[in-house]
Amino acid sequence: MNLPDNYIPVLIQAAVGLGFVLFTLYASHNWGPKRHTSGATKDDTFECGIEVDGNARTPFSVKYFLTAILFVLFDIEIVFFYPYAVNFKELGFEGFLAVTTFIAIFFIGFFYVLKRGALDWNK
């Protein structure tokens, strides 16, 4: 094989990583504890030692998912303020107008969501 010298450390690192993964899998399978459970105990759900209460398939309210989606939507819009914050001096008044327009559209959407009652959990 005719490899450049700068690939040799990468190959050594990959070999060490693969060797560690294979050794860990072998050791945990052969040297780890052997616990054989069967029946209802094996099929039970377990979460932090808390006793199971009800069915895990109970449907959630659509309001929960709507609130989560709206949170992500409005949270991601905040990311668009970062470039303006970094370059606000270079953008000048034109950049200020663009950001003001963006904020206005942002608030129109927010007030629309409020008016439709999407954030009202008691409805």
Side-chain angles (χ1 to χ4, degrees), residues 2-19:
N2 190 9
L3 290 174
D5 289 338
N6 54 358
Y7 283 117
I8 293 174
V10 174
L11 293 176
I12 292 172
Q13 182 71 28
V16 168
L18 183 63

Side-chain angles (χ1 to χ4, degrees), residues 36-46:
H36 301 287
T37 58
S38 62
T41 305
K42 184 173 184 176
D43 295 334
D44 277 350
T45 55
F46 177 78

Side-chain angles (χ1 to χ4, degrees), residues 24-61:
T24 305
L25 289 173
Y26 173 79
S28 65
H29 180 70
N30 290 325
W31 300 334
K34 308 282 191 275
R35 297 181 193 225
H36 301 287
T37 58
S38 62
T41 305
K42 184 173 184 176
D43 295 334
D44 277 350
T45 55
F46 177 78
E47 177 127 8
C48 304
I50 300 172
E51 291 294 323
V52 176
D53 183 28
N55 187 0
R57 302 286 181 210
T58 305
F60 283 95
S61 172

